[in-house]
Amino acid sequence: MGAGDIAVIGAGMSGMAAALVLARRGRRVVLVEKKARIGATLRGFTRGGVYFDTGLHYVGGLHEEGALFRYFRLLGLERLPLEMFDADCFDRLRFTGAGLEVPLPVGRAETVRVLSSIFPGDAAFIRKYFTRISEIFNSSPLLSFRTDAPELFADVESTMSLADYLAGGAADPVLRAALSIHSLLYGVSPEETPLHQHARIAASYLEGVGSVRGGGRALVAELEKALAGAGVKVLCGSAAEKLLVSPGRRIDAVLLEDGTEIPVEGALFTGHPRLLPPLLPEGSVKPAFRKRLLALEDTCSAYALFCKCEPVPSLVRGGNLFICPDADITSAFRPDCDPRQGPFYVSGGGDAEADRRGLVIVAPGNARECAPYAASAPGGRPAAYARLKTERLLDIRRQCQSHCPELSGISVLDGATPLTFRDYLESPGCGLYGAKHSLSQFNPLPLTGIANLWMAGQSVIAPGILGAIVSAVAACIFILGREAVREELSACA
Ligand SMILES: Cc1cc2nc3c(=O)[nH]c(=O)nc-3n(C[C@H](O)[C@H](O)[C@H](O)COP(=O)(O)OP(=O)(O)OC[C@H]3O[C@@H](n4cnc5c(N)ncnc54)[C@H](O)[C@@H]3O)c2cc1C
């Protein structure tokens, strides 16, 4: 390819990571973002003087050998200040129906020890499960940094669901729920999630669990500096509206909503995949590809409560709480779920008191009950929607407090519904984490059928901060060539 601009469309974690990898490798990059500022998902917001994180509550792999730590180094973020979560209990799972509290500690051996002491009858399976998910994680070259692997981008998919794997070995239903709890972090039910996909996410939480000190806004601030340092041109506030395709089926230019036309050598689209087909002229990609993108189903949605609580209860200081009234957590993933039934995820963050970070409670979101108001936009929602929202937020607060009296001191400063997330995240089906990676659908890969158009983002490969970065690196393998990326990865392995 020549040395013209590559347009990276969408400045979320994935687009920013791709722009940095390409620019640090000498490519001219223009990063185009529809929202007024880059990193909208991660930036969070402030209400009443309290900062709330949105797209980054916690991550794994922040230790020296960890995948995310190495990717931060690859992006030039080695000085990012980190805060580690409580090594004895970074996640606390409260099963109120079963009267059981399960702390998840950092470290595979320690996790096996703690879970085996709570579920002694399943001790052999617990060992087998953690060995298996670690094997799967380590067999993925882009997660283990095994750059000697013949194919950097060769992952095996299982045809077995997480639920089937657990049903085949774990006798205790509470243990099955505990081992599936991280499916709430990617929004797909254990019945639908391939075991491999779950392993690539859940195993990342075995070591180096924490966040960025100062939250998502601190991460975005560092990314902004790195993008400027790498010479990436950033254009915000105007969406890519059309990709202009030559008769030779190559992208020649990106046309923005404000009429600006950017001539390009190629384009990388990182938004929700359902948003790509409308940008492409009819006939430029195979009809089956277009249809497949448009039919992608989203991950589950949510209601969220943004709360102030002083002092922050000790059970969410330095870690998270999952309140599970029922050991069967699968109802949370149904489109017609009852948000009041939970499970509820409570993020207190690391040093919440130090930087006045608020508590975030995430409850299952029923996008169907918001459907009558789908035509409305923020600032112009009807009164009936406002009533539904208030009722739901109060219901969820009441439920959380009844299952967890430690939360009795919270006051709700703001809230979000599935429609809020649809508009805030540019997620057409209200999904929290883009298109779902499930056994029943085939998500896009970086190649599109147009030689100089690629895809990345949480719906390609995997969601989360790590998944979004891995998808960006996978796309860069196709843009820059495998050897160039192999060199980059080796340098930070
Ligand atoms: C409430 C919440 C909490 C989360 N917590 C965690 C967590 O604790 N840990 C973790 O690892 N992950 C977490 N995640 C997930 C993580 O934030 C995401 O997986 C990740 O940020 C997705 O990055 P992305 O770049 O793929 O997508 P996005 O952030 O959605 O970026 C895509 C961008 O493309 C832009 N765009 C779309 N179309 C166009 C267009 N035509 N022109 C220009 N721009 C366009 C959009 O505006 C958007 O900014 C959380 C997510 C949510 C919603």
Side-chain angles (χ1 to χ4, degrees):
M1 278 185 54
D5 279 353
I6 304 260
V8 175
I9 300 167
M13 185 65 248
S14 187
M16 293 188 280
L20 281 170
V21 173
L22 294 170
R24 285 159 66 91
R25 220 43 222 190
R27 304 310 305 263
R28 278 198 348 236
V29 182
V30 55
L31 180 59
V32 177
E33 170 55 49
K34 172 178 183 172
K35 294 265 159 75
R37 296 198 292 170
I38 65 171
T41 304
L42 300 176
R43 225 174 239 289
F45 65 95
T46 302
R47 282 288 175 281
V50 181
Y51 170 68
F52 294 100
D53 258 323
T54 47
L56 167 62
H57 293 123
Y58 72 124
V59 286
L62 287 181
H63 56 301
E64 189 69 24
E65 301 292 305
L68 191 54
F69 190 81
R70 288 171 169 183
Y71 276 117
F72 281 158
R73 217 182 293 153
L74 175 80
L75 302 180
L77 304 178
E78 51 273 43
R79 282 195 293 279
L80 200 60
L82 303 175
E83 61 186 16
M84 305 317 288
F85 280 18
D86 184 352
D88 293 329
C89 178
F90 71 88
D91 276 340
R92 181 183 301 277
L93 321 182
R94 179 172 288 189
F95 293 98
T96 49
L100 203 59
E101 193 130 321
V102 179
L104 293 183
V106 174
R108 188 170 118 194
E110 191 54 12
T111 309
V112 169
R113 191 190 67 71
V114 169
L115 290 180
S116 301
S117 70
I118 300 172
F119 305 99
D122 280 315
F125 178 75
I126 291 168
R127 254 192 321 280
K128 180 179 155 193
Y129 167 81
F130 283 103
T131 305
R132 185 77 190 108
I133 65 165
S134 299
E135 271 168 12
I136 295 171
F137 187 89
N138 291 328
S139 70
S140 170
L142 287 177
L143 291 172
S144 65
F145 281 63
R146 277 184 31 246
T147 52
D148 57 334
E151 285 291 333
L152 277 177
F153 183 51
D155 268 344
V156 196
E157 273 309 322
S158 50
T159 49
M160 178 183 268
S161 72
L162 170 64
D164 282 346
Y165 181 76
L166 296 177
D172 193 317
V174 182
L175 173 64
R176 292 200 291 274
L179 296 179
S180 332
I181 203 76
H182 291 139
S183 52
L184 293 169
L185 304 181
Y186 54 80
V188 185
S189 79
E191 281 89 0
E192 285 188 276
T193 301
L195 173 66
H196 276 71
Q197 182 67 6
H198 177 76
R200 288 191 286 255
I201 296 166
S204 76
Y205 286 94
L206 284 174
E207 306 281 351
V209 183
S211 189
V212 174
R213 184 168 294 277
R217 64 180 170 184
L219 173 60
V220 177
E222 285 303 308
L223 283 161
E224 249 162 358
K225 277 191 237 159
L227 289 164
V232 174
K233 189 171 168 192
V234 179
L235 298 178
C236 288
S238 188
E241 196 175 56
K242 287 283 169 221
L243 300 179
L244 307 183
V245 181
S246 70
R249 286 227 302 161
R250 289 184 65 81
I251 307 288
D252 283 341
V254 175
L255 180 65
L256 304 188
E257 238 171 12
D258 66 6
T260 311
E261 192 172 309
I262 311 168
V264 294
E265 279 288 330
L268 170 61
F269 184 80
T270 70
H272 192 295
R274 270 162 64 186
L275 301 177
L276 178 59
L279 306 190
L280 291 167
E282 232 16 85
S284 57
V285 286
K286 289 199 174 124
F289 179 66
R290 182 184 287 273
K291 204 168 141 195
R292 178 155 74 84
L293 294 188
L294 290 173
L296 284 170
E297 280 182 27
D298 268 9
T299 54
C300 68
S301 197
Y303 283 93
L305 276 60
F306 301 101
C307 314
K308 188 163 121 178
C309 190
E310 282 167 353
V312 175
S314 60
L315 87 166
V316 288
R317 233 180 276 149
N320 309 286
L321 173 69
F322 290 87
I323 306 170
C324 307
D326 194 329
D328 178 5
I329 61 166
T330 55
S331 62
F333 301 96
R334 291 191 200 114
D336 60 351
C337 63
D338 181 346
R340 295 163 295 196
Q341 301 303 314
F344 309 102
Y345 163 69
V346 186
S347 157
D351 56 356
E353 281 182 302
D355 63 3
R356 286 182 61 73
R357 211 180 303 173
L359 285 188
V360 181
I361 299 178
V362 183
N366 180 333
R368 284 190 191 161
E369 66 181 5
C370 292
Y373 318 109
S376 66
R381 308 270 196 219
Y385 165 85
R387 277 197 298 277
L388 172 72
K389 177 173 173 178
T390 307
E391 199 183 307
R392 283 288 167 265
L393 301 187
L394 290 175
D395 284 343
I396 293 165
R397 185 181 69 176
R398 205 173 303 120
Q399 283 296 319
C400 285
Q401 289 175 330
S402 78
H403 291 284
C404 184
E406 295 93 326
L407 296 176
S408 60
I410 59 172
S411 47
V412 180
L413 299 190
D414 209 338
T417 71
L419 284 188
T420 319
F421 284 117
R422 179 195 68 177
D423 299 330
Y424 183 72
L425 303 171
E426 296 294 329
S427 184
C430 307
L432 270 200
Y433 313 105
K436 68 182 171 192
H437 298 265
S438 77
L439 287 165
S440 60
Q441 72 181 8
F442 181 28
N443 288 41
L445 288 167
L447 295 177
T448 62
I450 295 183
N452 65 343
L453 173 65
W454 304 273
M455 294 177 77
Q458 60 187 345
S459 305
V460 177
I461 316 256
I465 304 300
L466 179 60
I469 296 176
V470 169
S471 78
V473 171
C476 291
I477 289 175
F478 290 100
I479 300 171
L480 296 169
R482 192 180 309 153
E483 281 317 309
V485 176
R486 198 194 294 271
E487 274 173 35
E488 292 275 330
L489 293 177
S490 300
C492 46

